Amino acid sequence: MNVLSGIVIKATGLKRMDFIGLSDPYVEIKLYYKKVKKFYWQSETKKKTLTPVYNEMFQIDLKDMDMDSIYMKLVMKDEDLVFKDDFMGMVEFGKHVEHSTGNKHWMDMLATPHT
């Protein structure tokens, strides 16, 4: 069974996105296989904070997926009840992602998988 498990623990250093000086942050995780979205997960929204603690786990079934063809995107957004949610930041993972802070971690994970 090929499963990718992860935990969204917390965020720090977030910028104020709301008029009152705080944010309502949440995390989206998207996994693409051969450029087709195969998985979507969203954390709980943490209201009125710049230091959200999530401790939320996600699992992705990677059955029949070649790790070289997987691309992941983690996006942090600020929930807005009136307008479109605001983009706060993003990190990308995958073998072919260039200039990503997460790329070294991704390559290390591929080199030493946990079984």
Side-chain angles (χ1 to χ4, degrees), residues 84-99:
K84 184 178 176 183
D85 292 354
D86 297 314
F87 174 83
M88 297 179 77
M90 176 178 70
V91 64
E92 299 172 299
F93 299 93
K95 185 174 181 179
H96 303 291
V97 175
E98 295 182 24
H99 309 293

Side-chain angles (χ1 to χ4, degrees), residues 25-50:
Y26 66 92
V27 177
E28 292 181 329
I29 297 177
K30 301 172 187 177
L31 180 131
Y32 298 85
Y33 180 65
K34 296 185 178 179
K35 300 182 181 182
V36 176
K37 186 166 43 173
K38 296 289 187 176
F39 176 83
Y40 176 84
W41 177 87
Q42 182 177 319
S43 73
E44 178 182 333
T45 300
K46 299 299 181 176
K47 299 290 188 179
K48 300 178 184 173
T49 183
L50 299 177

Side-chain angles (χ1 to χ4, degrees), residues 12-87:
T12 59
L14 298 180
K15 293 184 179 182
R16 296 176 174 117
M17 302 299 286
D18 293 341
F19 182 71
I20 59 167
L22 294 172
S23 293
D24 303 311
Y26 66 92
V27 177
E28 292 181 329
I29 297 177
K30 301 172 187 177
L31 180 131
Y32 298 85
Y33 180 65
K34 296 185 178 179
K35 300 182 181 182
V36 176
K37 186 166 43 173
K38 296 289 187 176
F39 176 83
Y40 176 84
W41 177 87
Q42 182 177 319
S43 73
E44 178 182 333
T45 300
K46 299 299 181 176
K47 299 290 188 179
K48 300 178 184 173
T49 183
L50 299 177
T51 56
V53 176
Y54 297 98
N55 289 323
E56 295 182 39
M57 183 176 170
F58 64 91
Q59 290 189 321
I60 306 170
D61 182 2
L62 301 177
K63 182 180 178 186
D64 301 324
M65 291 189 203
D66 172 26
M67 292 300 286
D68 288 341
S69 300
I70 290 176
Y71 162 75
M72 284 183 67
K73 190 185 289 190
L74 283 72
V75 180
M76 178 156 284
K77 292 185 178 179
D78 172 58
E79 184 178 79
D80 194 327
L81 299 177
V82 178
F83 301 105
K84 184 178 176 183
D85 292 354
D86 297 314
F87 174 83

